[in-house]
């Protein structure tokens, strides 16, 4: 009898965790305002080709990751749509196997993982899974306005 109760509890816990993970999958989550990125993070971002000046849509992928192709398509659509803005965003795709130190620094736990970085390379948004184009565009749009643009 104890084994059956334990089995039911474990299954219930697994289902609860699955529901929580599934609910967060593909959702654009805002990052609380934080200080400027550390010098170590800046160095890792620079070594990966992430520069200042424009908002950056940074996504980690791998050859063996199926959903990463969907993120690639969504990111391409969004960056293309925002290409005529005052400060168009830049898309950077990094292979997690080539940049493991940066992935660790940014806390990448699964693939695909996408970040929206502001013009100073501070993390503003994070997405685990495949985001919708609308959500990603909504996150990036405020970062593409020029200083003279109206909000």
């Amino acid at each position: 009898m104890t084994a059956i109760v334990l089995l039911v509890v474990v299954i219930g816990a697994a289902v609860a965790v699955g529901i929580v993970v599934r609910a967060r999958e593909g959702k654009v989550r805002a990052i609380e305002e934080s200080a400027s990125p550390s010098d170590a993070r800046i160095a890792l971002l620079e070594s990966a080709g992430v520069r200042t000046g424009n908002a950056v849509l940074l996504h980690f992928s791998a050859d063996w990751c199926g959903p990463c192709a969907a993120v690639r398509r969504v990111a391409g659509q969004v960056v293309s749509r925002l290409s005529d803005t005052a400060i168009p965003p830049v898309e950077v795709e990094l292979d997690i196997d080539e940049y493991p130190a940066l992935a660790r620094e940014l806390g990448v736990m699964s693939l695909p993982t996408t970040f929206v970085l502001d013009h100073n390379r501070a993390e503003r948004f994070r997405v685990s899974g495949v985001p919708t184009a609308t959500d990603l565009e909504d996150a990036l749009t405020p970062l593409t306005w020029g200083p003279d643009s109206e909000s």
Side-chain angles (χ1 to χ4, degrees):
M1 183 65 173
T2 304
I4 292 173
V5 171
L6 184 60
L7 180 62
V8 169
V9 169
V10 169
I11 290 173
V15 168
V17 168
I19 289 171
V20 169
V21 168
R22 186 82 161 153
R24 293 182 62 158
E25 184 80 11
K27 302 291 184 224
V28 176
R29 296 186 318 268
I31 303 301
E32 302 223 2
E33 287 276 334
S34 62
S36 298
S38 68
D39 290 340
R41 182 174 285 192
I42 293 292
L44 289 168
L45 286 166
E46 284 182 357
S47 71
V50 178
R51 307 281 183 248
T52 58
N54 297 51
V56 176
L57 183 58
L58 171 65
H59 52 106
F60 282 89
S61 63
D63 292 339
W64 45 265
C65 172
C68 293
V71 172
R72 193 175 299 118
R73 284 190 301 274
V74 169
Q77 288 174 353
V78 171
V79 168
S80 177
R81 279 191 228 158
L82 296 174
S83 65
D84 292 334
T85 58
I87 307 169
V90 176
E91 178 186 6
V92 176
E93 180 177 4
L94 298 177
D95 187 308
I96 195 165
D97 296 325
E98 292 179 30
Y99 296 94
L102 180 56
R104 252 188 322 277
E105 171 69 24
L106 292 171
V108 176
M109 302 299 276
S110 64
L111 290 180
T113 298
T114 304
F115 298 91
V116 174
L117 307 177
D118 66 15
H119 66 282
N120 289 322
R121 295 176 287 202
E123 183 180 340
R124 300 288 294 273
F125 299 93
R126 170 186 292 249
V127 183
S128 295
V130 181
T132 66
T134 303
D135 288 347
L136 208 49
E137 190 170 345
D138 289 347
L140 271 167
T141 297
L143 302 175
T144 62
W145 295 333
D148 298 329
S149 298
E150 294 182 26
S151 328

